[in-house]
Amino acid sequence: MPTTSRPKPDYAFQIEGQKREKIILSISGRLVLEHLEHLESEYAAFLTEMRPAELTVDVSQVEYLDSAGALALIQMEDQAKAQNLPFQLVNLTDAARRIMALVDRQALQPSPPVPKPRPWKALEQVGAVSLSVLNDFVQVLTFLGGLLIALAQSFRHPGKIRWGDTLFYMKRAGVDGLPIVGLISLLLGLIIAFMSSLQLKQFGANIYVASLLAIAMVKELGPIMTAILVAGRSGSAFAAEIGTMMVNEEVDALIIMGFDPLKFLALPKVLATMLVVPVLTLYADFFGLIGGMIVGVVGLDLTVFSYISQTQKSLNLFDLLSSLVKSAVFALLIAGIGCQRGFQVRGGAEAVGSATTSAVVAAIFLIIVTDSAFAIVLHYLR
Amino acid sequence: MTSSDKNPIIVVENLTARFGDRTIFTNVSFQVNEGEVLVILGGSGCGKSTLMKQMIGLYRPASGRVLIKGVDINTPDEVQLRQLRMQIGVLFQSSALFGSMTLGENVALPLGEYTDLSPASIDLLVRMKLAMVNLTGSAELLPSELSGGMKKRAGLARAMALDPSILFFDEPSAGLDPITSAELDNLIKTINSSLGTTMVIVTHELESIFDIAHRVVMLDKTAKGLIAEGDPHYLREHSTDPRVVNFFQRRVGELK
């Protein structure tokens, strides 16, 4: 913020009369906002020093008065009255009188303090938070349920799906995300292979770097990293888009025109995300494994062939398919929560911001929870 | 103070607005006198709001300049610009209140930024300004809790926070019922007559124009510039320009 030097007050007091007697205080110059407090303190000092028995304030020499200046004159009078001092304001011009008439003296009194709600006790807070989390969970589940029903209905009438929008969001969530997903996965593969090689080298088990990375990447890291990236890129975008439409009453317009916002807005996004996230996951797996292979070949003296064959030995089709199913479920969660948070927006710009944040946080949380559930279920399924 | 003082506070010189290849208007020149209520009028799409945004420095003109109290609004001098901004208050069409702040905080914002006043003084001024626009006791409300008319008045209180010498209004009565709109017009007139604030108002509400305007300038989409300037009552009775007559008599012009 550029600083401006505080201008010198361009008003002056002229005092006629003796201490503790009738005094005429003539004010000249400009009474404006910038000098409000200066004027008040100078006046207070004048009252303390002169202690007038009767005070007349003459404003005939005031050249300019704004509403803050008018406020200052009114406060002068109030202050004098509070000290039981006879006060008179004289030679007010018509313009000054009109400005003073604008000031509502009643409104200047501080409004009675609003009683603050009793602070909640710790147990109540825990209860309230638990209820709101539960409520939120139920809302998310209800929304996802509605979404699944809409999805099922759409498969019976595929012509009714908005394919144009679906393709648009497939590009947004999928194609546009390829560079970042590829780069992150490659680096992740490099890091994990490098860190694990430091340990495995000690046992001469270099080749198992390939196994470790294949299992970690395909089963867990590929789907999770892809999902987290998509949540950050697309889940947030969905929440912001639908949230802004809520604020602008566009969603209301859709409802009035007989469209189901769930099918019109949410379904193409969810469908697009569910179609592209498994593909992105495969792509992430591939780049992760390439990263590992770079470490294996350059740092561990493995051949490309032995690295690939060890990777193949460590994986089977079930692992790959289950990870793709998992990523499709993650996609449903990401897009579903993004849309649900968007539809929850009420109010203005701030609500859109918090919906966006909440969409990403909730999606990542649910991705991890669902992944844990998958880990247990898949373990017993094999 | 009346328009008869003829002391120009805003001078618009040969202003041209262009978006890409599309020219909105060219060579618009007029001036606004101190203490005057000037209404910029014209049909939809003629560039009224663009002209106002150029006058307050939000849009840079393609050519020409706007002088407020002799200073070019597009001056690169930061200090001058800051002083100029203190002289200008704007009521936007949507009121543009900050949704995350209470009305009191909205009005206090420019006071905190531009003055060294203590929180107590700012609080007092906020209460005074809100009372001026008949929103006594509403300081704690959020904009989302207000009706359209209340939002406009709160926006006006914020625009007036620093006692600016010029107030700009973009379609102040858009979306308001006739009574609320008339109340706002009365408020505009009171502020103009009491504080002598110069006002530039963009509107096409005929009733408001005849009620509040000292002078109007009229833009036209096909002429891409000013087609009339003067007292609205005089223009209505005496203008020979069919575009002006059609506008004031709410007649649909010949389709071309």
Side-chain angles (χ1 to χ4, degrees), chain A residues 13 181 187 294 347:
Chain A
F13 279 3
V181 171
L187 293 175
I294 292 171

Side-chain angles (χ1 to χ4, degrees), chain B residues 10-15 28-31 51 55 65-67:
Chain B
I10 309 176
V11 178
V12 173
E13 281 178 2
N14 301 320
L15 221 53
V28 167
S29 299
F30 61 92
Q31 57 188 39
L51 175 60
M55 288 172 77
R65 59 182 191 158
V66 177
L67 303 175

